[in-house]
Amino acid sequence: MGIQETYDYWRANVRQDQVAELERLATNPDELADAFRKELEFGTAGLRGILGLGPNRMNEYTVGKATQGLADYLNATCEEPSVAIARDSRLRGEEFVRVCARVLAANGVKAYLYPRIEPTPALSFAVRYLGCSAGVNMTASHNPSAYNGYKAYGPDGCQITTQAAKAIQDAINRTDPFAQVKTVDFDQAVADGMIQWMGEDVIDAFVDAVAAVDLEPADAPAADLDLVYTPLNGTGLECVSAILKRVGIADLDVVPEQSMPDGNFPTCPYPNPEIREALELGLARCAQVRPYLLLATDPDADRVGIAARHGDEYVLVSGNEMGALLLDYLCARRRELGLPLDESVAITTIVSSAMIDAMAEDYGFQLRRTLTGFKYIGEQIGLMEAAGRADRFLFGFEESYGYLAGTHVRDKDAVVASMLIVQMARWHQAQGRDLIEAVDGLYQRYGYYRNKTLSFSYPGAAGAERMDQIMGMLHQEPPSTLAGLAVERVVDYAQGAEMPVVGALLPEDQPQQLPAANVVEFQLEGGNKIIVRPSGTEPKIKAYLFAKQADAAQADQLLADFEAAARDLLA
């Protein structure tokens, strides 16, 4: 059906109280076209979109249709399937959770629900803890308040695989959102035992599992580090405050305006701890109380950003810098404890800092690089677990402020990261340096690796076409020079590529192929590179810039040159 036909079909089938919203849409041709030009695609990140009516929007009908597809898939592949369900603080999250549970129950799939908002890693944990066939989390991560999403997980606690996503999408495609979505009364399903609220034991077990990752010295000072924390009106407060209390931070100073869950995110329109604007209230609070550290978790508490006191100012630490800091801390602590590193495996992505290669050679651990998306890191943990060697996993991180230590979940975890950041800060403090001095120490040891991520927006139908044109050009006619440097090699991940590995392979470590992906890497002379990929969740193309020099000023200048080149390339 075309846009007008699809609109008419929706208008004839939505609830009567929703007709006025559709009629308003009809007065704005661009908005109407965007809402009805296609259906939200169910990929390995599930669904994500703007709230509103239409097949390209997040609403009760698209959630119901997606869940019917998921239920059909589970009933075809599992015996007595069950699903763990969670949500963050986003608008309409509770409604969507109930829709999801009602559809699952109507299809004979048992649904376990967290009774309140909880972090994304707590959902990944619950899937494994309860032995569920799948998980669903209603979240749009750090997107603006107009968005919500439907993130699907497999039985291993990872976001679903490409194969599973395709099978679910096929089932979704066969489903009419109005005529073929089964549903049942919520309270009746609870009474029948098909919908069950998770008990406090589940979230308590999650916090216990986080605490088990602790490597802090037994004689470390317990409460000598003051910090300010902001959950950015999201889910982090309960679990982050609980774990920090366990490691000696009893009096957590929480930014008052951002302490309570609020899907409108009134204090920051883009609640992403990667950007300074989201931290402004936290930084203002730091100016008043002068803590050692500012911690900020995003709305679903799978990412964490920090600002560290350095002299009289607070300096932000990037995701790449924090990943390197935490990995260095874990390696140093293992050495102090007399634990070997030669069989340990750290995992990061192709778009994360190249400094980690140098760290792997220095410490002697194995480094694996996956495609972007923490599920690929989770899959590598699963491979080691299947071989009976989950103990090999050392650390995983993405440049986009996602970190994981421990094997309790298969997704990035701001709760365990917050604990480790505090413990690492105390460890450096005991040696007479702050975290900014610790970052500089890494640069002095390994070289000045400068990184930057640029995002270019392409809204609407015309923007989607432009994105396809740009990526097509890069695949078919890649440039021979960028920023005056020769392109020595082009890695077209759409054609597949071998997983990059640094360090020795054990006998059970077979070479691995990365899945095909719409990513192009330009390897430049001098060990520099630029990587370009479209976002999987937003109408954006991202350019990842990697500059390395022996001198900080030269590295900064080269990074600026790369930024200018990327803007020309993706204009």
Side-chain angles (χ1 to χ4, degrees):
M1 291 190 291
I3 290 174
Q4 188 60 49
E5 284 182 293
T6 306
Y7 170 81
D8 291 341
Y9 184 66
W10 275 64
R11 192 185 186 286
N13 285 280
V14 298
R15 296 195 317 266
Q16 190 59 38
D17 63 328
Q18 296 173 322
V19 171
E21 181 181 341
L22 285 179
E23 291 176 341
R24 182 193 61 77
L25 264 178
T27 65
N28 187 325
D30 289 341
E31 192 174 351
L32 178 71
D34 192 52
F36 287 88
R37 66 185 172 88
K38 66 170 188 174
E39 295 188 359
L40 287 176
E41 295 179 4
F42 194 96
T44 56
L47 306 174
R48 190 177 297 186
I50 295 171
L51 293 163
L53 289 175
N56 194 33
R57 295 287 185 264
M58 283 292 296
N59 53 66
E60 64 193 270
Y61 306 109
T62 52
V63 168
K65 179 174 179 172
T67 306
Q68 184 64 54
L70 174 63
D72 290 344
Y73 167 77
L74 292 175
N75 279 323
T77 57
C78 305
E79 293 185 9
E80 299 183 4
S82 60
V83 178
I85 308 174
R87 64 184 174 94
D88 66 10
S89 60
R90 289 189 172 270
L91 302 176
R92 300 185 67 182
E94 184 173 9
E95 172 195 350
F96 293 161
V97 160
R98 286 175 169 261
V99 169
C100 182
R102 291 170 58 208
V103 174
L104 290 171
N107 284 274
V109 180
K110 187 167 184 176
Y112 293 92
L113 277 63
Y114 271 119
R116 54 187 177 271
I117 63 171
E118 295 294 357
T120 284
L123 184 277
S124 176
F125 176 84
V127 171
R128 290 161 54 82
Y129 183 77
L130 297 172
C132 291
S133 314
V136 172
N137 195 19
M138 301 299 173
T139 175
S141 188
H142 54 276
N143 284 61
S145 63
Y147 285 78
N148 207 330
Y150 184 113
K151 189 181 289 188
Y153 289 77
D156 56 356
C158 282
Q159 290 182 50
I160 55 171
T161 64
T162 302
Q163 182 179 359
K166 184 181 184 304
I168 295 168
Q169 181 69 72
D170 290 344
I172 293 170
N173 292 342
R174 296 191 294 267
T175 303
D176 183 290
F178 301 105
Q180 295 177 306
V181 175
K182 300 176 185 178
T183 190
V184 69
D185 179 76
F186 185 90
D187 292 334
Q188 185 60 52
V190 172
D192 293 340
M194 290 304 296
I195 296 176
Q196 180 176 323
W197 298 105
M198 294 187 216
E200 293 299 311
D201 62 302
V202 181
I203 201 67
D204 289 345
F206 167 66
V207 176
D208 288 344
V210 171
V213 180
D214 184 357
L215 283 179
E216 192 168 44
D219 59 351
D224 63 337
L225 190 141
D226 297 325
L227 62 90
V228 166
Y229 170 62
T230 172
L232 295 178
N233 297 118
T235 62
L237 184 60
E238 177 187 5
C239 292
V240 171
S241 60
I243 196 62
L244 293 186
K245 186 175 182 179
R246 290 200 187 192
V247 297
I249 309 296
D251 299 317
L252 190 62
D253 191 313
V254 183
V255 176
E257 301 93 335
Q258 296 175 330
S259 63
M260 300 303 295
D262 188 340
N264 291 298
F265 306 117
T267 63
C268 56
Y270 198 60
N272 183 353
E274 295 180 64
I275 60 174
R276 188 180 182 91
E277 289 79 4
L279 306 183
E280 289 296 351
L281 276 179
L283 291 168
R285 182 70 180 168
C286 288
Q288 295 175 355
V289 301
R290 303 297 298 169
Y292 190 80
L293 203 62
L294 167 66
L295 281 176
T297 54
D298 69 343
D300 65 327
D302 62 353
R303 303 172 192 246
V304 58
I306 78 155
R309 191 175 70 207
H310 180 60
D312 294 330
E313 62 179 343
Y314 286 86
V315 180
L316 274 60
V317 176
S318 74
N320 276 313
E321 290 171 336
M322 181 51 69
L325 275 176
L326 286 171
L327 183 52
D328 177 68
Y329 166 68
L330 292 170
C331 288
R333 279 295 300 137
R334 287 180 68 88
R335 278 187 172 176
E336 289 175 354
L337 293 169
L339 300 174
L341 285 164
D342 57 320
E343 295 188 357
S344 296
V345 178
I347 312 164
T348 189
T349 69
I350 59 173
V351 299
S352 298
S353 174
M355 180 188 284
I356 310 305
D357 294 38
M359 292 181 67
E361 293 175 351
D362 181 22
Y363 278 109
F365 60 81
Q366 183 190 117
L367 174 68
R368 303 178 188 177
R369 288 190 181 271
T370 70
L371 294 178
T372 306
F374 219 89
K375 72 186 185 72
Y376 295 112
I377 295 175
E379 284 176 356
Q380 292 299 309
I381 302 172
L383 290 175
M384 288 181 275
E385 184 177 57
R389 293 300 311 275
D391 61 304
R392 292 183 66 190
F393 176 62
L394 174 62
F395 185 63
F397 85 95
E398 292 182 318
E399 96 299 335
S400 53
Y401 292 56
Y403 318 100
L404 176 64
T407 59
H408 56 293
V409 300
R410 295 292 186 270
D411 209 341
K412 47 190 176 288
D413 182 0
V415 183
V416 74
S418 295
M419 178 187 78
L420 290 174
I421 288 168
V422 167
Q423 294 181 323
M424 175 184 66
R426 290 198 290 224
W427 183 77
H428 281 293
Q429 188 182 47
Q431 298 175 62
R433 55 181 172 264
D434 61 39
L435 286 185
I436 305 309
E437 291 166 337
V439 170
D440 192 56
L442 292 179
Y443 286 133
Q444 292 178 32
R445 193 188 321 171
Y446 298 114
Y448 287 87
Y449 291 83
R450 295 295 197 241
N451 308 93
K452 190 167 188 176
T453 303
L454 304 175
S455 292
F456 300 86
S457 296
Y458 303 86
E465 291 181 8
R466 180 60 181 149
M467 285 178 64
D468 290 342
Q469 291 172 355
I470 291 172
M471 293 307 301
M473 174 196 69
L474 296 179
H475 286 293
Q476 297 163 20
E477 301 177 13
S480 59
T481 62
L482 285 168
L485 298 181
V487 177
E488 294 183 334
R489 182 180 177 222
V490 177
V491 182
D492 188 340
Y493 288 92
Q495 306 302 318
E498 187 172 304
M499 175 184 288
V501 175
V502 176
L505 298 177
L506 297 188
E508 64 262 31
D509 296 337
Q510 299 300 315
Q512 300 182 56
Q513 286 291 119
L514 297 177
N518 190 10
V519 182
V520 185
E521 177 177 324
F522 304 102
Q523 296 182 0
L524 310 176
E525 57 183 293
N528 302 287
K529 59 186 175 181
I530 295 176
I531 298 178
V532 180
R533 60 176 281 269
S535 170
T537 57
E538 300 172 89
K540 294 180 177 180
I541 293 179
K542 294 186 175 183
Y544 301 84
L545 315 178
F546 303 81
K548 181 203 173 185
Q549 296 287 310
D551 175 82
Q554 292 176 348
D556 291 338
Q557 181 57 57
L558 187 57
L559 190 69
D561 294 343
F562 286 174
E563 180 170 352
R567 292 189 182 280
D568 288 342
L569 190 67
L570 303 177

